[in-house]
């Protein structure tokens, strides 16, 4: 895989994916439920953001803020009594931003069955300094073939995010020029 030498485009030494990878676990209670009796999606999203934020802070060596959440997918409902595991790691880094991939797993707290994947998400974090200004982040160094795949997929998602933003801005400018907005 990628060696641990600094990125030639950066004076900051790279960090391998294992250096900031983390798991956050939480037992779901009645306080976490929605009107259907399952765990509210917002509760899961908060756990996802918390785990991803911890990973982003660890990787960048300081504060990092959520810039966007992409593709939050709920695959199965989570129920009261489920032990939820939120696994997160840095997939890709830019100059001041990072994509963090998150997998959400759930298992019954009192059973010895394997956890089932119940969700996934990709979040983009920006590293910030004490004044809230963007700051450089270390390059991520993929360790395994799976990490390399995640890095490449993250680059594709970044390209799509930028193209979508550019297309929306162009449409807004066109509509403004036509006096429509």
């Amino acid at each position: 895989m990628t060696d641990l030498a600094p990125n030639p485009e950066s004076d900051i030494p790279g960090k391998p994916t294992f250096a900031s990878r983390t798991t956050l676990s939480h037992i779901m209670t009645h306080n976490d439920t929605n009107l259907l009796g399952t765990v509210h999606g917002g509760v899961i999203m908060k756990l996802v953001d918390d785990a991803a934020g911890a990973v982003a802070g660890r990787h960048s060596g300081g504060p990092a803020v959520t810039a966007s959440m992409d593709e939050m997918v709920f695959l199965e409902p989570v129920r009261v009594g489920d032990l939820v595991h939120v696994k997160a790691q840095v997939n890709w880094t830019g100059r001041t931003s990072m994509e963090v991939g998150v997998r959400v797993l759930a298992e019954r707290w009192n059973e010895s069955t394997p956890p089932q994947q119940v969700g996934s998400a990709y979040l983009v974090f920006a590293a910030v300094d004490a004044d809230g200004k963007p700051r450089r982040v270390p390059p991520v160094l993929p360790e395994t073939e799976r990490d390399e795949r995640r890095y490449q997929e993250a680059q594709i998602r970044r390209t799509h995010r930028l193209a979508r933003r550019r297309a929306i801005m162009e449409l807004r400018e066109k509509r403004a020029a036509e006096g429509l907005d």
Side-chain angles (χ1 to χ4, degrees):
M1 294 308 85
T2 309
D3 63 53
L4 297 178
N7 180 335
E9 299 172 11
S10 172
D11 56 350
I12 302 173
K15 286 186 178 180
T17 53
F18 77 82
S20 57
R21 192 177 289 144
T22 195
T23 301
L24 172 67
S25 297
H26 186 76
I27 294 177
M28 298 292 111
T29 68
H30 287 286
N31 292 335
D32 302 317
T33 61
N34 59 27
L35 295 175
L36 299 175
T38 57
V39 172
H40 195 290
V43 170
I44 301 298
M45 290 173 76
K46 182 180 183 327
L47 294 173
V48 164
D49 192 41
D50 287 347
V55 166
R58 281 180 171 184
H59 184 83
S60 68
V65 296
T66 310
S68 70
M69 178 184 274
D70 287 355
E71 301 180 36
M72 180 72 213
V73 177
F74 297 100
L75 302 169
E76 297 288 336
V78 177
R79 305 191 186 294
V80 169
D82 282 353
L83 177 58
V84 172
H85 308 285
V86 183
K87 298 178 175 284
Q89 78 170 49
V90 174
N91 290 337
W92 176 89
T93 53
R95 200 172 68 73
T96 62
S97 64
M98 303 155 274
E99 182 194 90
V100 178
V102 181
R103 288 185 50 202
V104 183
L105 304 147
E107 61 183 312
R108 295 306 296 170
W109 71 273
N110 60 349
E111 296 176 9
S112 59
T113 55
Q116 177 182 9
Q117 184 170 354
V118 295
S120 66
Y122 300 102
L123 295 87
V124 176
F125 280 79
V128 295
D129 64 18
D131 297 322
K133 303 288 186 216
R135 62 181 175 81
R136 301 285 306 267
V137 298
V140 67
L141 304 174
E143 304 168 87
T144 66
E145 287 297 325
R146 177 180 270 180
D147 293 340
E148 289 282 352
R149 176 185 53 81
R150 288 178 175 157
Y151 185 89
Q152 292 169 350
E153 290 172 357
Q155 287 178 306
I156 292 168
R157 283 186 292 275
R158 180 176 188 270
T159 299
H160 286 209
R161 278 191 298 271
L162 294 174
R164 183 177 63 232
R165 182 184 307 148
R166 191 170 39 256
I168 289 170
M169 294 308 293
E170 288 171 1
L171 177 63
R172 288 179 180 174
E173 289 170 6
K174 179 182 174 206
R175 290 182 58 83
E178 294 171 354
L180 298 173
D181 284 337

